[in-house]
Amino acid sequence: IDGLVHQNDNHGQKISFGFGNFVVETNSMEPEYPVGTAIVTKKKDTDKIAETYLEEKAAGKSNDEIHIDLTFYYGEPVNVKSGVDGKTDLVQALASAPITHRLINVIDNTVDTSRGKYIFILAGINTEAAEAYSAENQYQAIYGDAIYGQVIINSPALGGFLSFVASPWGLIILLLIPVIYLVIS
């Protein structure tokens, strides 16, 4: 019920009590999150996410050492320079579905402060996928209000179970178990 009540606040996703679950559908985060992995995200204050990232960067950690993975809505473009290679414009919206990528940069938001104090630059970690697509499609710039949450748990086994249950055969079997129990009892 909580997920349905707050669905409009979360770009159509059912986030219940600050937690959302998603299944990875692409290889952009492999090998850490293989296709079919279930991930659980927890809503966090985006200012705290940005401050954590900036503190770790100030402590001398590289992006390879900082693992802040965010699930977000990416249906609207944000026009900023990424700072990743100094020349990549991040203006193209790829999808209107949830995406999970790693945080690689935080920029002060001077464009539309009503959408958050920071703009987050994210990218997939699969270098082979990055080579297969153009650089513009590998980096996303999003406002803080597009973030569903930070990944706290991932499970390939749970992802397989959820995919099975969502399939026609899985649904039939799931419905037959209680029916068989009722008939036997």
Side-chain angles (χ1 to χ4, degrees):
I1 293 173
D2 182 65
L4 290 172
V5 169
H6 296 289
Q7 192 170 1
N8 290 338
D9 300 337
N10 296 305
H11 305 286
Q13 296 298 314
K14 295 175 184 162
I15 309 290
S16 300
F17 303 106
F19 293 91
N21 57 22
F22 304 92
V23 176
V24 176
E25 295 180 5
T26 66
N27 67 349
S28 67
M29 289 297 285
E30 286 185 350
E32 196 158 328
Y33 307 130
V35 173
T37 298
I39 57 173
V40 177
T41 63
K42 182 175 192 292
K43 266 235 186 267
K44 283 191 166 183
D45 180 27
T46 56
D47 290 350
K48 289 183 181 179
I49 293 171
E51 289 165 8
T52 300
Y53 175 82
L54 294 171
E55 286 171 5
E56 291 192 26
K57 280 301 259 189
K61 290 186 178 181
S62 70
N63 277 338
D64 292 335
E65 298 172 305
I66 303 171
H67 291 190
I68 300 175
D69 299 331
L70 302 175
T71 301
F72 59 96
Y73 170 81
Y74 190 57
E76 303 172 37
V78 178
N79 189 9
V80 296
K81 294 283 187 183
S82 70
V84 175
D85 61 11
K87 60 183 176 190
T88 304
D89 254 342
L90 302 171
V91 295
Q92 182 180 5
L94 296 178
S96 59
I99 300 173
T100 298
H101 277 171
R102 183 148 298 153
L103 181 60
I104 60 168
N105 201 0
V106 175
I107 301 170
D108 284 330
N109 181 8
T110 58
V111 179
D112 183 1
T113 55
S114 69
R115 300 194 61 196
K117 185 177 175 183
Y118 298 101
I119 294 174
F120 297 84
I121 310 297
L122 300 113
I125 60 172
N126 186 346
T127 55
E128 291 177 13
E131 292 169 3
Y133 302 106
S134 63
E136 296 88 25
N137 293 340
Q138 280 307 106
Y139 299 100
Q140 295 84 32
I142 61 165
Y143 292 108
D145 67 352
I147 295 175
Y148 294 128
Q150 184 174 348
V151 176
I152 56 170
I153 298 171
N154 70 76
S155 170
L158 181 59
F161 175 74
L162 291 174
S163 295
F164 174 72
V165 169
S167 72
W169 284 109
L171 186 59
I172 290 169
I173 290 172
L174 197 63
L175 292 173
L176 283 179
I177 292 172
V179 170
I180 291 170
Y181 174 76
L182 287 172
V183 168
I184 293 172
S185 65

